[in-house]
Amino acid sequence: MAEHHPVSENKHKSQLNSAASVSGNGRSSAAETERVGTGAGGLSGGLSQPAGWQSLLSFTILFLAWLAGFSSRLFAVIRFESIIHEFDPWFNYRATHHLTTKGFYEFLNWFDERAWYPLGRIVGGTVYPGLMLTAGLIHYVLNLLHVTVHIRDVCVFLAPVFSGLTSISTFLLTRELWNQGAGLLAACFIAIVPGYISRSVAGSFDNEGIAIFALQFTYYLWVKSVKTGSVFWAIGCCLSYFYMVSAWGGYVFIINLIPLHVFVLLLMQRFSKRVYIAYSTFYIVGLVLSMQIPFVGFQPIRTSEHMAAAGVFVLMQVYAFLLYLKDRLTRQEFQTLFFLGVSVAAGVVFLSVIYLTYTGYIAPWSGRFYSLWDTGYAKIHIPIIASVSEHQPTTWVSFFFDLHILVCTFPAGLWFCIKNINDERVFVALYAISAVYFAGVMVRLMLTLTPVVCMLSAVAFSSVFEHYLGDDMKRQSPPAEDSGDEDDRKNAGNLYDKVRGQPQSLMLIGLISYSQKHFYSDDSVQFSLFLKRQIRTSRLEDLHTVNTTGQARGRIHQASLRTKRGRKTAKLSRKITCSAAAETIQL
């Protein structure tokens, strides 16, 4: 009998595991799939499982998206020949040719007497060198591998190749914002959307050909750093931002959108340690790296376009310091100090920027950027900017020609993201709203609108397909889960989104709210984190509210005896059950 007991116990455990895999969120089944696939061994063992086929299908779709994007941009080469066209690409090609033949330092100090004739041009200090360095590096690597290719051919096919990288970066970003299916749809959309093809065809050797990849990849790493609170991902975001600064002047869009995201998170009371770590690392390291580009120089600390990032950085430091004082002050003292501190910090930053701009230490908005806010400014004061065709306001026809059916599905995807809001979906909502405005003001900025339209349209299609074509037993709405870990004790709002649709977890929410409202010791903080872990790891089937409440009451009672409030806190802990029930009813 003793020998048969482990067998029955193992059978019982296997039945419980199988039931958990059906009722859970799929993690147990995924782990079981990985275990079985590893045990089977070989390619056939991996492909016999759903996870193996899913990975193979995702890789195949991304490869076909890259191939479709590359092929759709070869019309000029197939019809004519491999040649650079347009004016700016020809200058970029000459600069790249000089870089590959003379070297990097000669390129930085090159005085081109043929450009800006008869004055000439100091090339190293007047261009964004990222495009030339990228083409020159690819040419160097190919020749190192004994693949003989002319630098002209590298320049011609650089933009079509980078269109595939843009598809992959868009897939990664959309997958972080929604799910993998939406990411695959977004990758397919951006590979063939006309608004991006028009600026990345073969032979168009211009900055935009590589800048959209850098833009999307920087946003992906930013979202990743906000979700994880990891310095590793934040440093990766800084390096990608550095590449974007070296490639295109549109990096100003990044350095204003990311601070706007952090500022809105502060207003929504979604601030956390993750956001603090991500933005502090991004601003400091990104600021230093961006100043290494000769054409940029000291602009990040001397121009008005970059002052919003500095102001949000200072405001965030003050906000974090006030939250640090929260546990050491009474509620009334903290509220008074909080509103006073935030108001004074915002006022000091605003007045400092005005004073430094008035005295000349900070340059005002340039004409091109000022025309984004005042559409009639360029016509009156800077006619040469208004005379450029790509600086004209966008017509309604251009939206439909550049985006096609995505114009209709884009608002639906934005609505889905706002309906299931979390930290990273706040970012994509701000990205969409700001890009729509700027694209309407200037037709050239349709290029920055195209990626977010592809992403949100993919979200809309993915949600509709999942609702109408998915299995009824597995159908569920995308979770608006909090993207953080256990460092969100300052932001209880995200936790409520986490347990939406689980009525039996409301008692735990009431306990957390009560403990955060009345206890200010480290023990109560640890208890709040304990309850949050209970909610994150619990299932609707095996959550026993009564037992958890009894354990919670004992933990709070023991914690209260170690606080400075002593007997007063102990009396409050005896009322925990009634107060938690009352707050549960309010929720």
Side-chain angles (χ1 to χ4, degrees), residues 99-153:
L99 171 66
T100 55
T101 54
K102 301 294 184 179
F104 177 70
Y105 289 103
E106 289 295 330
F107 166 74
L108 289 180
N109 299 317
W110 178 36
F111 181 80
D112 185 13
E113 66 278 358
R114 298 184 182 181
W116 296 351
Y117 186 83
L119 300 177
R121 178 178 183 178
I122 302 175
V123 176
T126 58
V127 297
Y128 292 99
L131 181 68
M132 299 81 175
L133 292 177
T134 301
L137 181 62
I138 294 176
H139 178 263
Y140 173 78
V141 172
L142 291 177
N143 283 273
L144 195 66
L145 298 175
H146 301 285
V147 179
T148 304
V149 61
H150 195 272
I151 185 63
R152 184 199 63 205
D153 295 324

Side-chain angles (χ1 to χ4, degrees), residues 422-439:
N422 57 17
D423 290 354
E424 51 271 19
R425 290 170 192 165
V426 172
F427 174 77
V428 75
L430 295 173
Y431 181 13
I433 295 172
S434 57
V436 166
Y437 170 77
F438 291 127

Side-chain angles (χ1 to χ4, degrees), residues 63-275:
F63 175 75
L64 293 177
W66 189 329
L67 186 62
F70 181 83
S71 303
S72 61
R73 289 164 170 81
L74 301 182
F75 177 77
V77 174
I78 294 174
R79 186 174 182 181
F80 301 101
E81 59 179 323
S82 175
I83 191 173
I84 303 292
H85 52 83
E86 300 178 19
F87 177 77
D88 287 343
W90 265 108
F91 171 78
N92 295 332
Y93 165 66
R94 289 183 58 245
T96 306
H97 187 270
H98 187 87
L99 171 66
T100 55
T101 54
K102 301 294 184 179
F104 177 70
Y105 289 103
E106 289 295 330
F107 166 74
L108 289 180
N109 299 317
W110 178 36
F111 181 80
D112 185 13
E113 66 278 358
R114 298 184 182 181
W116 296 351
Y117 186 83
L119 300 177
R121 178 178 183 178
I122 302 175
V123 176
T126 58
V127 297
Y128 292 99
L131 181 68
M132 299 81 175
L133 292 177
T134 301
L137 181 62
I138 294 176
H139 178 263
Y140 173 78
V141 172
L142 291 177
N143 283 273
L144 195 66
L145 298 175
H146 301 285
V147 179
T148 304
V149 61
H150 195 272
I151 185 63
R152 184 199 63 205
D153 295 324
V154 175
C155 297
V156 167
F157 294 102
L158 183 67
V161 170
F162 264 77
S163 66
L165 297 177
T166 305
S167 299
I168 295 178
S169 61
T170 304
F171 161 74
L172 295 174
L173 178 57
T174 312
R175 186 182 63 178
E176 292 295 328
L177 294 172
W178 202 256
N179 55 34
Q180 187 168 358
L184 294 174
L185 285 173
C188 296
F189 288 157
I190 201 169
I192 59 174
V193 66
Y196 180 42
I197 291 180
S198 61
R199 307 305 294 265
S200 58
V201 295
S204 179
F205 185 59
D206 209 349
N207 300 84
E208 291 89 344
I210 65 174
I212 298 303
F213 159 72
L215 181 79
Q216 291 292 92
F217 196 63
T218 303
Y219 286 157
Y220 161 69
L221 294 174
W222 166 251
V223 169
K224 196 72 174 179
S225 62
V226 169
K227 293 180 67 174
T228 60
S230 172
V231 177
F232 173 79
W233 291 109
I235 293 295
C237 181
C238 297
L239 295 176
S240 180
Y241 172 69
F242 171 64
Y243 181 67
M244 176 66 183
V245 174
S246 69
W248 192 35
Y251 77 92
V252 178
F253 187 55
I254 296 178
I255 200 57
N256 284 277
L257 181 60
I258 290 180
L260 178 63
H261 179 217
V262 176
F263 182 70
V264 172
L265 290 179
L266 291 177
L267 295 181
M268 296 177 64
Q269 297 183 355
R270 286 182 170 267
F271 179 78
S272 63
K273 289 182 181 178
R274 296 175 290 101
V275 178

Side-chain angles (χ1 to χ4, degrees), residues 308-503:
V312 171
F313 177 75
V314 174
L315 185 63
M316 188 184 66
Q317 303 302 320
V318 175
Y319 190 90
F321 178 71
L322 292 175
L323 290 183
Y324 170 76
L325 297 177
K326 181 178 180 179
D327 296 334
R328 292 160 176 80
L329 299 174
T330 63
R331 178 171 296 275
Q332 186 63 32
E333 292 174 347
F334 173 74
Q335 289 180 353
T336 304
L337 181 62
F338 181 81
F339 289 109
L340 181 63
V342 172
S343 302
V344 171
V348 168
V349 170
F350 181 73
L351 294 177
S352 299
V353 171
I354 293 179
Y355 173 76
L356 293 175
T357 304
Y358 179 77
T359 55
Y361 288 99
I362 297 178
W365 289 85
S366 63
R368 181 178 297 180
F369 289 103
Y370 193 79
S371 62
L372 296 176
W373 311 108
D374 185 1
T375 55
Y377 177 84
K379 282 186 177 181
I380 300 175
H381 299 90
I382 315 177
I384 191 172
I385 293 180
S387 64
V388 180
S389 60
E390 62 182 14
H391 292 168
Q392 302 301 316
T394 308
T395 61
W396 285 108
V397 178
S398 298
F399 280 98
F400 289 95
F401 279 175
D402 288 346
L403 302 175
H404 284 271
I405 193 176
L406 303 183
V407 174
C408 305
T409 56
F410 155 69
L414 180 60
W415 179 79
F416 279 121
C417 287
I418 295 177
K419 181 183 178 182
N420 303 277
I421 199 69
N422 57 17
D423 290 354
E424 51 271 19
R425 290 170 192 165
V426 172
F427 174 77
V428 75
L430 295 173
Y431 181 13
I433 295 172
S434 57
V436 166
Y437 170 77
F438 291 127
V441 173
M442 189 177 292
V443 67
R444 180 184 185 183
L445 297 181
M446 181 68 71
L447 185 64
T448 60
L449 174 65
T450 302
V452 70
V453 168
C454 294
M455 292 182 343
L456 292 180
S457 297
V459 168
F461 277 108
S462 177
S463 300
V464 172
F465 291 160
E466 183 179 2
H467 183 76
Y468 289 102
L469 301 180
D471 189 356
D472 292 338
M473 300 300 296
K474 299 180 180 180
R475 181 182 302 154
Q476 57 181 1
S477 59
E481 60 183 20
D482 181 26
S483 55
D485 295 324
E486 297 179 3
D487 59 345
D488 295 335
R489 60 186 179 87
K490 305 296 183 183
N491 188 7
N494 293 343
L495 185 64
Y496 299 151
D497 296 338
K498 180 100 178 162
V499 296
R500 182 182 300 168
Q502 298 186 10

